[in-house]
Amino acid sequence: MPHPRLALPAAGQGDDLSAFRHWLEAAIPLVPQLGIQDMHWQHDTLVWSLSLAPNLNDKGTGFGGSLAAQTTLIGWSWVTLWLRSQGREQNVVVADASQRFKAPVTGDYRILCRPEDPAGQAALAERLASRGKGRIALVQELYSGDTLCLTARGDYAVLP
């Protein structure tokens, strides 16, 4: 059964990310277990700060499955929040995703998510205006301290 949508923010106002996070935790049962401590924007980049403790593997480092889920989810959240800022309520799905693990995650970490192409937002807006649907490629980077531990890429589809 679908979870009720979060009401759109008032025109010209961004989302309250705390309210979005609480909605996300209610809408997707896995989210409260992921250790998200904070989410904020840095220009067109969505940043999540996460705790390592609920994402440990048997070696005491970050569990790849958790990290992959988090990179996919931050991308979905980026697109959902961007649509909401445009006054649009449309469904978003991940169409393709890949991760490259570069170093073990040994402490609390952060994930940054942004469009792969700086013109990606404008291109998506144009496709939505002309077709009512579209796609955008996003990249994610996971850092533990100053160490880049994982890079990821995902194509996210906005459905009509």
Side-chain angles (χ1 to χ4, degrees):
M1 179 172 203
H3 193 79
R5 290 186 187 265
L6 182 63
L8 285 172
Q13 301 206 352
D15 264 291
D16 172 347
L17 291 181
S18 178
F20 178 78
R21 180 174 153 199
H22 290 298
W23 173 83
L24 193 61
E25 289 174 347
I28 302 174
L30 175 65
V31 173
Q33 310 309 315
L34 294 178
I36 300 169
Q37 297 174 330
D38 178 61
M39 58 176 69
H40 64 275
W41 287 102
Q42 290 179 349
H43 307 289
D44 68 345
T45 301
L46 183 60
V47 180
W48 284 4
S49 299
L50 298 108
S51 172
L52 177 61
N55 298 291
L56 287 172
N57 63 20
D58 59 318
K59 295 160 210 59
T61 61
F63 173 59
S66 290
L67 306 178
Q70 291 163 355
T71 60
T72 301
L73 184 61
I74 194 173
W76 180 92
S77 296
W78 188 101
V79 178
T80 299
L81 288 163
W82 182 85
L83 287 167
R84 292 171 55 75
S85 75
Q86 306 299 303
R88 301 184 77 104
E89 282 189 342
Q90 289 181 256
N91 288 320
V92 176
V93 296
V94 61
D96 185 57
S98 62
Q99 299 82 32
R100 184 169 185 91
F101 297 87
K102 297 179 167 281
V105 178
T106 58
D108 291 350
Y109 54 99
R110 65 193 183 288
I111 302 174
L112 291 71
C113 178
R114 68 179 178 288
E116 182 176 60
D117 179 351
Q121 294 172 63
L124 178 57
E126 182 180 308
R127 284 190 296 273
L128 290 172
S130 66
R131 297 187 217 153
K133 62 181 182 176
R135 278 185 175 216
I136 188 167
L138 301 174
V139 293
Q140 298 88 22
E141 297 173 327
L142 185 154
Y143 291 89
S144 180
D146 292 331
T147 303
L148 177 61
C149 299
L150 179 151
T151 58
R153 182 189 181 283
D155 287 324
Y156 294 84
V158 179
L159 306 177

